Amino acid sequence: MSDPFITIIGLEVHVQLLTVSKLFCGCSTKFGAPPNTQTCPVCIGMPGTLPVMNRRAFELGLKTAVALNCQIAPFTKWDRKNYYYPDLPKGYQISQFDLPFSHDGYLEISDPKERFAAKQIGIIRAHLEEDAGKSMHDEAHGKADSRIDLNRTGTPLLEIVSEPDMRSPLEAKAYLTELKLLLTYLGVSDCNMQEGSLRVDANVNLHIPQSDGRLAKTPIVEIKNMNSFRAVERALEFEAKRQYEVWQEDHVEIGKRPKQTRGWDDAANITRGQRAKEESSDYRYFPEPDLVPVTTAPAQIEKVRTSLDELPALLRVRLEAAHGITAYDSDVIVNQGRAFVAYFVELAEAVKDGKTAANWVTQDVLRVLNEQNTPIESFPVSAADLANLIVRVHAGDFNTSRAREVFAEMLSDKSVAEAVAALGITKVDESELVAMAGEILAANPKIVADIKAGKTQAAGNLIGQAKKRNPNVNPARFREICLELAGKM
Amino acid sequence: MLLTDHTATELLADLNARRVSSAEVTQAYIEQIEQQDGKVKAFLRYDAEAALKRAKEIDERRSKGQPIGLLGGLPVAVKDLICAKGELTTCASKMLANFRPPYNAAIIERLSAADAVFLGRTNLDEFAMGGSNENSAFFPTRNPWNLACIPGGSSGGAAACVAARMACLSIGTDTGGSIRQPAGLCGVTGMKPTYGRVSRYGLVAFASSLDQIGPLARTAEDAALLLEAIAGHDPRDSTSLTMPVPQYSKTVREPLKGLKLGLVREHFGRGLDSEVEQAVREAFKVYQSLGAQVKELSMPHAKYGVATYYIIAPCEASSNLARYDGVHYGYRTDVAEMNAQLAAEAKPLQTSGNKTALDEMDNSLVRMYRQSRAEGFGPEVKRRIMLGTYALSAGYYDAYYLKALKVRRLIRQDYDDAFKEVDLIAGPVSSTPAFKIGEKSDDPLAMYLVDLYTVSLNLAGLGGIAFPCGFSSAGLPIGLQLQGPSLEEEKLLRAAHMFQTATDWHIRKPPL
């Protein structure tokens, strides 16, 4: 049953850029250091200190914006966003307001399972800003203990704001997955959600078709505090249902109720109201007088554009064309990252069979990587070794299920030959196979009769017997010999 | 003649020729401070021991023939708005009464490298907000020419200590005239360099796009020396200019041939004291006698300068001062007492069951922020925070802040047009000589008008210099202001020196 409403979703994604130092000072951005050990007079807003822009952060932002097909502003400035947070030491955040360094881009999303049609999600803007610190409140046992860690203060963030172009939680998840993949391919962020390197806020409301043809629009709700893509999907699903229920009760439309901020409670699986934004947010923005504007020349943008390595969307298309694999397989492979793609390509070229290579990497290799939680870079079986194995399967040395056993053995750093030896697999000589077939056929006249009567599946029983005598028997070849001999009997 | 009656340039020559030691010079200034500062109250703090120790170190290095920096052991006073590592930097505010920065301002490093001797910290209007020095949270500084009068502000202490011979050089800051106006009122030479010429790193911000550090001294030659020591690019201040620093102390004595001075018609309108006008017009005659031409011109937007300034400066100030909240930085109210007060306020409401009123009461945290700021800031600072917060708030931004930015551009355009016709603009520094302490305290708007002739230069980001050009019948100094195009400090200093070779106003000594 389809929903009686359309869900309208826009996402704001904060990405922590992979710089060595903070946006406006030289302090380290490394995660996990003891509280307040990565601070200096500048990032803790000491009176008299001044910010100086980290060029590297700007470059990483620029690279991302170009990859998101954004327009790059030839002139961009910094603004102060004045608002009070206990973990914002200056009492304002340096961000970008009316002249962000990039705007009007898009990201294409599609679903290999074709649950929605491929579409472009508009990017309103991507801008740079500094992160705040972290407050830790301990209210257990009646305590009111608050501590502030300013290590994160001043870490460079790229805020990527999408148009409200997503129409389902599934599309939202696809957008986030594709965005994260792009960021990873670009090498601009580690996108580690547990460490807060990628944070998502969602704006959501419903368009509800009315009997008179009009679309009723529910008030927009901003959902914060989602710490996984799965949580985003679930929060959006919950919120759409909640808004529909509220609508059925009160019929309040957008503009008639202030925008609300709700938090996602992952354990309870619900969103909870946090605060109502009474009016358009009043951050008293004004141009940051301590920083000079940044100009970006067209040549510089062009240089970034040409320096970009092949990005996921194009990579998928190329893999499909060059190796004859399905869209689904190319999606799985590309989603694993650039190193995995390289592994696949090496394998596919060595065995000259993209489909088989894809099967091996998407099933066997990926399963092991997931089980052992290791990246492809530290996978013990090289693409060349795996290619050897596949070549021997093709040559009829052993069948696929036997090959899987060999593969499992190779995981403990063995070559194909070593694994084969360890498993005691030796190729059974053709003459031995013929002799064995003769003996077994002679002992099973009923089966011989069946085969002669055209019931060739009866040969299966013979394979079982042969395997008992010698586990290295190649079942396919043995079957052929049996059918041939039985025909002559 | 006392050592302290010599100019810095003269003393430096004697120091370098080893006719006098830095310890002797420093000692002379300390004695002067001890004798005079009880009356003038220019210093918030001075450290005789530390100053003498440093002076002796410099003397020792000099006697060993080691290289000595440009300031060669001359004592310098520093406005208490500039951070020095481990030393009190109060900004003349109760808010920062105990603040010891863990780092040095760029200018402190430069002065150290130039072998200045740090004499002490001078008084100012709280966070540099004010034109009279009456807004210091600690005490007002007095004008050495008349102790009943203000010395000007906000660098009132910086100007008064030079005028009273308690320092030969001093560092001030100028956001809307805070170096030039007190220099004019105290009869010393003070310069606001082009925005970005001197690093602001470590200067506690008032209005970041307007603030600039500059020298105060007895003469243009001395100001040139000090500017040369403190100017130059600093990578820690991204608004810092990368242009090389000329050798001001060497070029200051070269007269300007064919100097064209601009006389701005709007500077001589209503409100200008007749004695000031007369002195300034006399100054034009002096320049003409030295071969300069005077050309009258108009700066149509000058009249909007004060209004524009009193939008932009408070907007930036409201943001810059947000960090003083009683938690991150600054004074915190007595929390135990505050909580007792909160409980006392809540009690009658609880008894009467007035739940609405109870809900509306501050919680302890909010009250702590509120009360810390209420007690820590003085009235003028609060007034400007309110003004700035209001002008920036949604719905008023376009009408005030944005409009002010547009006018700021027009004011800069006026200057650019003017400097196509003249080399420098000359005119009054302030409309009257120093007024009495308390005279304008109850009238903030009247107080704001003391910046009338100086603010436009800050809005345009250009440089200017003020120096004495006469005295009122009451014996108070009257200043002349020269304003120049971007980075033309050299021309300003040379023009001021030309005037000082032909006049002796700058040599006069206050009757202390």
Side-chain angles (χ1 to χ4, degrees), chain B residues 188-444:
Chain B
V188 301
T189 302
M191 177 178 232
K192 180 228 173 270
T194 303
Y195 184 75
R197 179 79 287 193
V198 179
S199 171
R200 289 183 296 119
Y201 186 78
L203 162 64
V204 177
F206 158 20
S208 312
S209 76
L210 302 160
D211 295 341
Q212 188 57 208
I213 295 175
L216 285 126
R218 295 250 308 285
T219 66
E221 280 183 314
D222 290 3
L225 180 70
L226 186 51
L227 181 64
E228 189 176 325
I230 62 174
H233 179 65
D234 175 15
R236 291 166 299 183
D237 175 357
S238 69
T239 63
S240 163
L241 300 171
T242 51
M243 306 293 286
V245 179
Q247 289 189 301
Y248 303 116
S249 64
K250 301 246 178 355
T251 60
V252 64
R253 280 170 285 275
E254 296 166 18
L256 290 156
K257 291 202 180 71
L259 176 66
K260 264 191 261 174
L261 285 183
L263 181 157
V264 179
R265 226 168 280 136
E266 288 82 358
H267 284 171
F268 294 87
R270 211 158 51 94
L272 181 62
D273 178 274
S274 62
E275 287 186 327
V276 173
E277 174 163 2
Q278 204 189 334
V280 170
R281 290 201 186 272
E282 284 297 323
F284 279 113
K285 286 185 193 152
V286 171
Y287 272 112
Q288 280 167 323
S289 75
L290 293 167
Q293 274 177 274
V294 174
K295 195 176 162 150
E296 206 174 299
L297 50 85
S298 171
M299 296 190 62
H301 301 96
K303 58 174 180 269
Y304 302 118
V306 171
T308 305
Y309 175 83
Y310 278 96
I311 296 297
I312 290 175
C315 283
E316 294 183 12
S318 70
S319 171
N320 284 330
L321 271 56
R323 71 195 71 188
Y324 308 112
D325 60 4
V327 177
H328 293 111
Y329 302 103
Y331 167 90
R332 182 182 298 183
T333 190
D334 183 327
V335 174
E337 201 175 290
M338 179 201 83
N339 280 331
Q341 176 64 33
L342 263 179
E345 284 172 35
K347 204 164 183 192
L349 302 176
Q350 280 157 346
T351 332
S352 66
N354 189 341
K355 200 169 174 313
T356 324
L358 267 175
D359 284 347
E360 279 169 7
M361 266 187 65
D362 284 345
N363 64 37
S364 177
L365 184 70
V366 169
R367 178 65 65 90
M368 191 258 284
Y369 286 133
R370 207 194 278 274
Q371 202 157 299
S372 296
R373 282 172 75 84
E375 292 168 5
F377 288 132
E380 184 56 31
V381 172
K382 283 182 201 163
R383 187 150 42 231
R384 297 199 193 191
I385 290 173
M386 297 293 283
L387 268 173
T389 306
Y390 179 81
L392 283 176
S393 59
Y396 299 103
Y397 182 87
D398 289 5
Y400 295 109
Y401 185 76
L402 216 55
K403 184 65 72 72
L405 283 191
K406 287 176 186 164
V407 180
R408 185 177 188 172
R409 232 167 290 145
L410 293 173
I411 288 171
R412 170 70 194 239
Q413 190 58 50
D414 275 2
Y415 275 108
D416 290 347
D417 293 345
F419 290 129
K420 282 178 196 147
E421 307 203 17
V422 299
D423 296 306
L424 303 171
I425 289 166
V429 185
S430 60
S431 54
T432 64
F435 49 89
K436 292 262 165 31
I437 291 176
E439 194 180 318
K440 299 187 181 184
S441 302
D442 298 330
D443 190 351

Side-chain angles (χ1 to χ4, degrees), chain B residues 130-150:
Chain B
S132 69
N133 229 288
E134 293 162 288
N135 297 325
S136 166
F138 304 117
F139 45 78
T141 295
R142 291 161 187 278
N143 192 313
W145 294 90
N146 180 340
L147 296 173
C149 289
I150 57 106

Side-chain angles (χ1 to χ4, degrees), chain A residues 57-66 70-78 96 99-103 125-128 157-159 294 296:
Chain A
F58 190 79
E59 284 164 16
L60 293 179
L62 196 61
K63 197 172 173 185
T64 313
V66 168
C70 285
Q71 305 289 311
I72 306 299
F75 173 95
T76 182
K77 67 178 174 72
W78 299 93
Q96 299 199 282
L99 295 173
F101 81 91
S102 73
H103 58 95
R125 58 189 282 164
H127 70 257
L128 285 161
L157 293 181
L158 183 68
E159 180 171 346
V294 186
T296 310

Side-chain angles (χ1 to χ4, degrees), chain A residues 46-47, chain B residues 82-89 99-104 121:
Chain A
M46 273 271 166
Chain B
I82 289 165
C83 292
K85 189 174 177 176
E87 287 178 32
L88 280 179
T89 302
F99 178 56
R100 289 178 194 272
Y103 72 100
N104 274 325
R121 295 309 200 100

Side-chain angles (χ1 to χ4, degrees), chain A residues 32-235:
Chain A
N36 297 307
T37 54
Q38 290 176 173
T39 58
C40 73
V42 174
C43 63
I44 63 175
M46 273 271 166
T49 55
L50 297 171
V52 175
M53 186 184 81
N54 179 345
R55 278 262 144 210
R56 180 71 187 144
F58 190 79
E59 284 164 16
L60 293 179
L62 196 61
K63 197 172 173 185
T64 313
V66 168
L68 286 170
N69 310 291
C70 285
Q71 305 289 311
I72 306 299
F75 173 95
T76 182
K77 67 178 174 72
W78 299 93
D79 299 280
R80 284 192 190 174
K81 185 181 184 182
N82 290 285
Y83 65 131
Y84 190 83
Y85 271 158
D87 46 20
L88 193 69
K90 297 191 293 293
Y92 57 83
Q93 179 192 31
I94 303 175
S95 181
Q96 299 199 282
F97 179 50
D98 54 343
L99 295 173
F101 81 91
S102 73
H103 58 95
D104 291 313
Y106 64 87
L107 179 66
E108 199 162 281
I109 60 166
S110 60
D111 182 26
K113 293 181 186 160
E114 293 181 344
R115 289 163 297 183
F116 61 84
K119 66 193 284 192
Q120 284 185 355
I121 305 298
I123 305 289
I124 297 175
R125 58 189 282 164
H127 70 257
L128 285 161
E129 62 185 30
E130 56 176 348
D131 207 347
K134 206 168 83 182
S135 299
M136 290 155 290
H137 304 293
D138 184 1
E139 289 165 8
H141 314 296
K143 273 192 291 185
D145 193 9
S146 290
R147 287 153 192 258
I148 310 259
D149 177 6
L150 296 178
N151 280 351
R152 205 178 64 188
T153 305
T155 298
L157 293 181
L158 183 68
E159 180 171 346
I160 302 167
V161 184
S162 86
E163 297 277 2
D165 284 347
M166 285 152 277
R167 294 290 172 269
S168 68
L170 193 66
E171 286 185 13
K173 194 182 170 197
Y175 169 79
L176 289 172
T177 308
E178 187 65 10
L179 182 61
K180 182 180 171 184
L181 189 66
L182 182 74
L183 296 166
T184 314
Y185 267 82
L186 290 169
V188 297
S189 174
D190 63 17
C191 297
N192 186 330
M193 290 191 83
Q194 279 76 45
E195 293 179 5
S197 300
L198 195 152
R199 285 169 260 164
V200 184
D201 297 338
N203 282 286
V204 55
N205 75 332
L206 307 179
H207 287 183
I208 308 168
Q210 302 298 294
S211 49
D212 60 1
R214 198 177 69 88
L215 273 182
K217 297 172 183 176
T218 59
I220 295 174
V221 167
E222 185 175 0
I223 314 174
K224 292 188 176 282
N225 201 25
M226 299 170 289
N227 55 12
S228 72
F229 291 172
R230 179 80 194 110
V232 173
E233 201 182 5
R234 275 157 54 215

